[in-house]
Amino acid sequence: MVKQSNNRLNSVAAFEALRKSIIAKRNPSQTCLVVCGGTGCLALGAADVITAFKQEIEKGRLESKVSLRVTGCPGFCERGPLVVVKPENILYQQVRGEDAAEIVSATVKGSIVDRLLYVDPDTGKKTTYESDVPFYKKQKRLLLGNNSNIAPTLIEDYLAIGGYAALAKALSSMTPEAVIEEVKKAGLRGRGGGGFPTGTKWETCRNTEGDTRYIICNCDEGDPGAFMDRSLMEGNPHSVLEGMVIGAYAIGGHQGYIYVRNEYPLAVKNAHIAIEQAEKLGLLGKNILGSGFDFSVKISRGGGAFVCGESTALMASLEGKVGEPRAKYVHTSEKGLWEQPTNLNNVETWANVPLIIKNGADWYGKIGSQGSKGTKIFSLVGKINNTGLIEVPMGVALKDIIYGIGGGIPEGKKFKAVQTGGPSGGCIPESLLNLPVDFDELDKAGSMMGSGGMIIMDENTCMVDIAKYFVNFLEGESCGKCLPCREGLKRMSQILTDITEGRGKEGDIELLERLSATLIDTSLCALGSTAPNPVLTTLRYFRDEYEAHIKDKRCPAGVCKALVTYSIDEEKCPGCGLCVKACPSEAITDMGKKKPVVLDQEKCIKCGACYDVCKLGAIIRK
Amino acid sequence: MVKLTINGQKVQAEEGTTILEAARENNIYIPSLCHHEEVTPYGACRLCLVEVTKNGRERLVASCLYEVAEGLKVKTDSERIATNRKMLMELLLARCPNNKAVQDLAHKLGVEKTSFKLDDDDCMLCALCIRVCQEVVGVSAISLVNRGVDRALATPFFEPSSVCIGCGSCAYVCPVDAIRFEDIGDTRHIYWPDNDMEFKLKKCKTCSRYWAPQAQLDYIIKKAGLAPDAFDNCPDCRD
Ligand SMILES: Cc1cc2nc3c(=O)[nH]c(=O)nc-3n(C[C@H](O)[C@H](O)[C@H](O)COP(=O)(O)O)c2cc1C
Ligand code: SF4
Ligand code: FES
Ligand code: FES
């Protein structure tokens, strides 16, 4: 424990002294078992692993030799529960409670548990060290990498890896203007969706007169399948907090809020603990590090509506009002929370700030692409071998993410599209796999960065069906205030449903396009104005699929049940009866050995079970 | 005063006024449905959209919310505005195909039919009634419940409201007559789209006419600090 825990640090010198004393007490060659306690690994049984390790260490009286650290998510959730043995960084994957004894005894002996190593599916070879796993090798984990180096609830861990040094630097040697200048020069852009230049936003807020100024962290993260903000807040809350204090100093704000969704209990808990710890040490609260600067942070829990992630709705919700957007003709940086100048940034944006201040804008500016600097965290989900969280420099090619890091498409299937930018992002086709992933290139492709969701789709995906899925999601999440979004999404959903159910008619595509144009032009907030993206991008890249549904009443991917029929290719069918067993609807009849089976169209529910089970290609799907 | 141009015409307006107000002062027509000068602008129907050019950038804004600024160039009609307004009207017409006021406005904007499936609503969720109830009457008896496509206008939980005074302001202000009220005998009925309520009317001591909801009169007496018998007679029988 930190000795001075009752004493607030009252100078940068005292802060430096504390850090030195923490580091001095640590042994860098100490063996440490790092277990991921992230949500993914917990779901896969990490709690058992943690308990088992504790027992093993206690049983063997190994406390002085082997320590245990439970951390946030390092990203490779696909292979969880994950255990890393430090300092060597040996990676064990899919570890279970039963494996604990073997790992502990091998670790003490200095040997390796071979059977728990990761096997590279491409080479068939085992990899011992974390950094050799292809999933990690091609990443640049400036933010996420630290998740394995700290226990989220121990501020000492964060201090030991250089935490709060950026804050100390800013407070002791930089004016607020210089901090803003540095962030501007670094080229940091908001990670919450729009990619707005962060320094410019801070400057506007700073230059606006007000009774006070508010600083907010947006941890609403409502996109389905996204969990990057959650993982940062759970795994390294101090990095977010440090960014906020630096921002508050630069902007001249004294009260901050972390708006976090209630479905993230661990993020809420860890943020609470972090705030308490930082206050105790004088890194938050009155007279931070003796600088005379005051800043406190409160946590506000959101009810979980997607639209509450939108800046004006979020602020309404923070004020205790209904979380509905308002027109932003006056920016929130001028008139936001309680009508005061307010600066809102995303979790990941805040977490980038200490990096920039500590290492300098020049260093930061070397990472990433021309217009998008630094790294970006993505959640890689869908039809991809390595599901998980990844962090890459901006500008990396899509195919490097999907094949290099993601390990390609499962079951050897063909890649079809990737949806980026969350529900109101767009679908990018195979022909654009070389696209460098940054704010501007994604925009040009008709999609967007959004907060960093990436959903991979394979050849068995129907793009009209996908567009319908996202439109339905947005229809359910629209606040309903403005006419174009509320009524427009309802109609869009109706038209898409008709198309996928065989009732599409000539003119539907044009109507979708006209409707989209009006949503973009007239919606009150960005939920409505970006909602047509899934429709417009699928129309742009997969128009033929729409046409097949409408004109030929055919679903090329065989997904839309109303447009698919299954039949038996009598030439190929030897009557093995596998499909008869697979059919849940008793629609297929066995006609005896060597005779083709018979499929009753009346009874067929078009589930495709026969198609999946037949290895001889005797089921025809049309 | 700030100077701006609307459709090329030079116009002056008080600082803080909206484009819609400035246009109306100068007899320039901008369609609107959810705007009313007595209540806070809301920006939901989007029919009032106009094109503004500021610092060389052109964008569509809701004129009921956007404030005038020095040198602002405003267009209230253009191809882009007209196309969007027509689409908005088509959406509205699909929601309220049988509503006279909606049909009339559609006709005025050149929309005779809609490309979408027909529903049969009257309320278009402009929230004027709610704002009037809250801001003018000071009661907040009704609100918009649910989100998105399920949004509806109602009293809390669709139950009779304990605070509604039956004044009928919501019905008066509704631009599409989606709220109705009628007085039958000693009872006033208010019909919102999804629920309704009844109110006892007060009888005039002199002419015996039922002339106003008791609850409304009680509310005024309390709010204005009047004598308990202030409304014993109807306005006609008061001296
Ligand atoms: C419908 C909608 C949902 C949003 N949800 C989020 C969210 O969950 N998290 C977030 O950081 N930003 C979200 N945003 C973007 C925010 O409005 C805002 O731009 C962002 O938080 C600003 O931070 P940044 O500049 O650091 O990106 C959302 C925007 C819209 C329109
Ligand atoms: S665009 Fe959609 S979410 Fe945004 S204000 Fe309009 S109805 Fe609400
Ligand atoms: S939760 Fe353990 S790796 Fe993501
Ligand atoms: S009148 Fe302006 S949005 Fe309705």
Side-chain angles (χ1 to χ4, degrees), chain A residues 305 324 327 329 475-484 486-487 490-491 498 511 514-515 518 521-522 524, chain B residues 42 44 46 61-62 65-66 80 84 87-88 90-92 94-95 115 117 119 124-125 147-149 151:
Chain A
E324 270 170 22
Y329 301 138
E475 183 195 9
E477 293 295 332
S478 157
C479 80
K481 179 174 179 175
C482 75
L483 180 109
R486 183 190 67 235
E487 302 297 325
K490 177 164 83 190
R491 301 310 173 179
D498 278 353
L511 184 57
R514 282 201 295 133
L515 190 53
T518 291
D521 263 357
T522 69
L524 174 61
Chain B
Y42 189 60
R46 317 307 287 172
V61 299
L65 287 168
Y66 200 96
R80 187 168 167 213
N84 279 309
M87 180 49 88
L88 290 170
E90 278 200 52
L91 288 169
L92 198 53
R95 180 183 172 94
S115 315
K117 292 185 181 162
D119 292 344
M124 40 133 197
L125 304 169
R147 195 168 64 203
V149 287
R151 200 167 165 98

Side-chain angles (χ1 to χ4, degrees), chain A residues 526-583:
Chain A
L527 190 151
S529 64
T530 57
N533 282 341
V535 174
L536 291 177
T537 48
T538 47
L539 273 173
R540 174 161 159 191
Y541 299 118
F542 303 94
R543 201 181 185 94
D544 53 334
E545 276 190 45
Y546 280 81
E547 281 164 356
H549 282 76
I550 296 171
K551 292 193 185 127
D552 316 336
K553 305 291 174 221
R554 190 170 62 82
C555 173
V559 170
C560 298
K561 283 189 184 172
L563 302 179
V564 177
T565 47
Y566 291 90
S567 56
I568 309 296
D569 185 340
E570 296 185 355
E571 307 263 292
K572 288 189 185 159
C573 176
C576 74
L578 267 182
C579 56
V580 179
K581 287 199 200 86
C583 178

Side-chain angles (χ1 to χ4, degrees), chain A residues 374-450:
Chain A
T375 60
K376 178 77 193 90
I377 303 179
F378 293 97
S379 67
L380 209 52
V381 296
K383 296 294 162 57
I384 185 95
N385 276 318
N386 301 332
T387 304
L389 275 192
I390 63 158
E391 183 180 348
V392 289
M394 296 269 194
V396 86
L398 255 182
K399 67 168 192 302
D400 292 335
I401 295 182
I402 295 166
Y403 291 98
I405 299 170
I409 317 299
E411 297 165 29
K413 295 224 168 106
K414 224 167 110 63
F415 168 85
K416 183 160 186 181
V418 50
Q419 152 95 10
T420 73
S424 42
C427 294
I428 299 171
E430 196 190 2
S431 59
L432 292 181
L433 271 175
N434 284 322
L435 189 83
V437 178
D438 72 10
F439 288 109
D440 309 317
E441 294 294 331
L442 285 172
D443 269 1
K444 270 191 246 160
S447 185
M448 58 185 196
M449 181 73 83

Side-chain angles (χ1 to χ4, degrees), chain A residues 36-42 44 46 71-82 136 227 231 388-389:
Chain A
C36 171
T39 307
C41 288
L42 284 177
L44 293 167
T71 71
C73 169
F76 204 13
C77 314
E78 178 76 31
R79 292 283 160 168
L82 298 181
Y136 286 124
F227 55 111
S231 295
L389 275 192

Side-chain angles (χ1 to χ4, degrees), chain B residues 189-207:
Chain B
H189 304 257
I190 300 192
Y191 307 97
W192 295 287
D194 294 302
N195 64 328
D196 54 67
M197 267 179 82
E198 292 179 0
F199 298 87
K200 280 284 157 252
L201 293 171
K202 188 172 175 83
K203 192 176 187 176
C204 173
K205 260 195 167 165
T206 310
C207 70

Side-chain angles (χ1 to χ4, degrees), chain A residues 35-57:
Chain A
V35 187
C36 171
T39 307
C41 288
L42 284 177
L44 293 167
D48 287 349
V49 179
I50 295 164
T51 316
F53 273 141
K54 276 189 192 147
Q55 283 167 355
E56 285 304 319
I57 292 173

